[in-house]
Amino acid sequence: MKIKEGQRFPLTIKRMGIDGEGVGFFKRQVVFVPGAIPGEEIVCEVTKVRGKFAEGRIVKLRQKSPDRVAPPCPIYEECGGCQLQHMTYGAQLREKKDIVRQAFERYTKINLEKLDFKDTIGMEEPWKYRNKSQMQVGHHQGKTIAGLYSSNSHRLIDLKDCIVQHPQTNKVTGVVKQLADDLKIPAFNERKRTGVLRTIVTRVGFETGEYQLVLVTAKKEIPRVELLIEEIRRRLPDVTSIVQNVNPKKTSLIFGDETYTLFGKEKIEETMSSFRFNLSPRAFFQLNPVQTKKLYDEAKDAASLTGKEKVVDAYCGVGTIGLWLADGAAELRGMDVIEESIQDAKRNAEAHGVKNALYVTGKAETWLPKWEKEGWHPDVVVVDPPRTGLDQSFIETLLRVKPNRIVYVSCNPSTLAKNVNDLTNGGYRLKSLQPVDMFPQTAQVECVVRIEKK
């Protein structure tokens, strides 16, 4: 019998889904219920039926989990930026490990009991940890608002004081919203293709205190731009950098191709342990610096370097992870498709006196075979890809080049498990699996994986 929309039934929540929702089974069909916690018994009402599964909402909590807490954010339900504020932090860490387990059970035949699969590494203080905010700009009741779109809708939620953001990012966004109103700088309207201000991006150096404001605009001309810069500097006298990025395209991407420095430095600096990093507006940098140190230490541990290895940092960004490993490597080579990132990586290596690093623009699947032909063979390849995981062509390249070890830093357990499956089918074995909580209060989980040649 098929489940129907509007149908109500009792449901026991068995696990947590990849987006943080509770997962239960009714008449052998999967039902996803946002806000439900494993172990809870609820009365569920079906809101959507989609082929092999249904989505529902909690009508009544029959048996509450001891892990359930009141979410501290007043707009938690509306916003959708966080998914797990209604759970104790200990339960979040436990369920994130299970999300990784589920991905490997689904996409591989690997027996996780036979390898080193550790508990999730958490944060001592799991709030105010994000060093960068990207707030979409809009209008509501004649006022400029900036925030995130409500989950599954195109309704913009105004975020005044986000409790997972560094407080400075909230302050900067608030100042720009006020100035946009005062100086009558119109928000960009996606539907009508009118207005100017699209996104307010702020990045803060946790250790240095430097911070950068990026105004993403739909066109180059900003009304009263000199007055705007003057007022930003008056209200934020310690601002390090004010930058404009122009993105006229109809796209969900935040940044366009043109970037102009309006005031101060083009880049800000951040330090992590003994490293100092220069960050240009579009350069990728981990969003949680406190947990990044733990993540990179785990990657270093998994690489097991002795000083003799040739190491490749694929998807190298501004060089962070490679530089973290450089003192244990004989030689380090990195690549990225974004030229700005490669320039930053070169400067970062030079600034730290790392003489054994070479950085090139392009894809790993182009460079690795080229170097192999020249007689340069990597011992360890470190990968930290985007959520989509490794390109199939890159996996094939790895299986041809055959480094001794692959250290895979992942932000998506599903693509990680699929990629690991391809590598283990091609002559590798999975040795260890370490989840790391980079984004407390959300359903996201990072992983550091060690893969070895059989």
Side-chain angles (χ1 to χ4, degrees):
M1 177 148 149
K2 290 283 281 179
I3 295 177
K4 292 188 178 71
E5 261 182 47
Q7 191 176 345
R8 291 187 176 191
F9 44 76
L11 191 69
T12 301
I13 305 302
K14 299 288 189 190
R15 289 184 116 163
M16 192 166 86
I18 200 153
D19 294 321
E21 65 289 78
V23 180
F25 298 88
F26 182 72
K27 300 199 170 165
R28 300 172 99 170
Q29 277 179 277
V30 181
V31 185
F32 294 105
V33 186
I37 297 175
E40 288 188 328
E41 290 175 16
I42 67 167
V43 175
C44 168
E45 182 183 309
V46 177
T47 52
K48 268 185 194 154
V49 179
R50 298 175 180 267
K52 291 182 179 175
F53 65 90
E55 292 171 20
R57 68 179 186 92
I58 302 170
V59 176
K60 187 181 176 189
L61 261 177
R62 283 182 156 175
Q63 190 168 337
K64 201 161 79 165
S65 166
D67 296 319
R68 183 174 282 281
V69 291
C73 173
I75 56 166
Y76 171 61
E77 305 284 343
E78 277 181 273
C79 167
C82 297
Q83 301 83 43
L84 305 181
Q85 283 192 23
H86 62 288
M87 293 173 78
T88 62
Y89 190 51
Q92 291 183 32
L93 298 179
R94 184 189 69 224
E95 294 305 329
K96 288 188 183 196
K97 181 178 181 179
D98 192 58
I99 283 177
V100 176
R101 184 186 300 281
Q102 287 180 63
F104 276 81
E105 284 172 356
R106 183 169 182 187
Y107 297 113
T108 78
K109 292 188 168 65
I110 297 165
N111 183 351
L112 297 182
E113 306 307 317
K114 289 192 174 169
L115 63 96
D116 192 8
F117 184 18
K118 299 187 184 84
D119 291 342
T120 311
I121 295 171
M123 278 191 93
E124 289 72 34
E125 180 50 56
W127 302 100
K128 299 179 180 174
Y129 59 80
R130 288 181 71 104
N131 62 7
K132 185 182 183 184
S133 70
Q134 299 184 149
M135 300 298 176
Q136 306 306 316
V137 182
H139 271 137
H140 182 65
Q141 293 177 346
K143 278 207 162 321
T144 302
I145 62 169
L148 303 175
Y149 289 108
S150 178
S151 44
N152 303 322
S153 86
H154 214 61
R155 188 166 66 92
L156 193 60
I157 304 292
D158 193 29
L159 292 187
K160 293 187 179 72
D161 187 23
C162 176
I163 55 179
V164 296
Q165 285 289 156
H166 187 292
Q168 187 65 24
T169 67
N170 292 321
K171 183 181 175 182
V172 172
T173 305
V175 165
V176 176
K177 281 193 290 191
Q178 187 61 56
L179 285 173
D181 281 342
D182 293 350
L183 301 177
K184 303 200 167 20
I185 298 167
F188 179 65
N189 184 311
E190 217 175 302
R191 214 174 60 250
K192 296 179 184 168
R193 313 289 301 160
T194 57
V196 177
L197 195 55
R198 287 182 83 133
T199 314
I200 302 165
V201 181
T202 311
R203 177 143 60 185
V204 178
F206 267 49
E207 299 293 329
T208 61
E210 293 192 347
Y211 64 95
Q212 181 174 65
L213 163 64
V214 184
L215 302 168
V216 182
T217 59
K219 52 189 174 191
K220 193 178 173 190
E221 296 72 32
I222 303 175
R224 291 164 290 286
V225 67
E226 289 86 3
L227 188 54
L228 172 66
I229 296 162
E230 193 184 307
E231 279 300 309
I232 291 170
R233 290 182 59 197
R234 192 174 68 77
R235 297 181 197 198
L236 300 165
D238 54 349
V239 66
T240 314
S241 166
I242 306 170
V243 171
Q244 179 188 8
N245 176 270
V246 184
N247 184 0
K249 293 176 186 165
K250 196 169 185 178
T251 173
S252 59
L253 296 174
I254 300 284
F255 291 113
D257 298 328
E258 296 171 63
T259 305
Y260 306 94
T261 304
L262 303 178
F263 165 77
K265 301 196 293 186
E266 183 202 346
K267 301 173 174 149
I268 62 166
E269 282 191 349
E270 175 61 309
T271 61
M272 275 200 315
S273 293
S274 60
F275 295 100
R276 279 183 94 78
F277 295 103
N278 278 307
L279 305 174
S280 54
R282 291 172 61 201
F284 171 77
F285 192 71
Q286 294 282 2
L287 291 166
N288 182 339
V290 175
Q291 290 298 86
T292 298
K293 291 176 194 169
K294 298 178 190 176
L295 184 79
Y296 288 176
D297 281 344
E298 288 300 322
K300 192 167 191 173
D301 198 40
S304 302
L305 301 177
T306 64
K308 295 175 184 164
E309 290 84 3
K310 294 182 183 123
V311 178
V312 166
D313 178 9
Y315 307 88
C316 70
V318 299
T320 38
I321 203 162
L323 292 176
W324 209 263
L325 306 180
D327 64 347
E331 191 182 348
L332 169 71
R333 293 188 179 188
M335 68 283 286
D336 199 285
V337 291
I338 297 173
E339 172 64 27
E340 283 170 19
S341 293
I342 289 299
Q343 293 309 320
D344 282 348
K346 285 177 180 174
R347 277 188 284 269
N348 287 329
E350 198 179 317
H352 295 99
V354 175
K355 305 269 195 289
N356 61 343
L358 169 77
Y359 288 104
V360 291
T361 306
K363 291 188 166 190
E365 46 266 51
T366 308
W367 282 102
L368 284 175
K370 187 174 185 294
W371 290 336
E372 188 82 0
K373 270 189 195 142
E374 292 165 5
W376 193 89
H377 180 83
D379 302 296
V380 179
V381 173
V382 183
V383 294
D384 185 4
R387 287 190 67 75
T388 46
L390 303 176
D391 290 343
Q392 201 54 43
S393 57
F394 181 42
I395 292 173
E396 285 159 18
T397 303
L398 282 174
L399 294 176
R400 271 202 311 278
V401 173
K402 285 209 167 14
N404 296 332
R405 279 188 297 290
I406 299 164
V407 177
Y408 192 142
V409 180
S410 161
C411 58
N412 183 342
S414 298
T415 53
L416 169 67
K418 289 175 190 172
N419 292 165
V420 167
N421 191 55
D422 288 344
L423 291 165
T424 52
N425 287 339
Y428 281 87
R429 90 162 49 87
L430 177 62
K431 291 295 284 183
S432 69
L433 199 50
Q434 175 64 71
V436 180
D437 188 21
M438 293 289 281
F439 301 104
Q441 320 308 328
T442 79
Q444 276 182 272
V445 56
E446 306 262 327
C447 249
V448 178
V449 166
R450 176 179 165 129
I451 303 159
E452 290 180 358
K453 204 158 65 173
K454 278 181 188 165

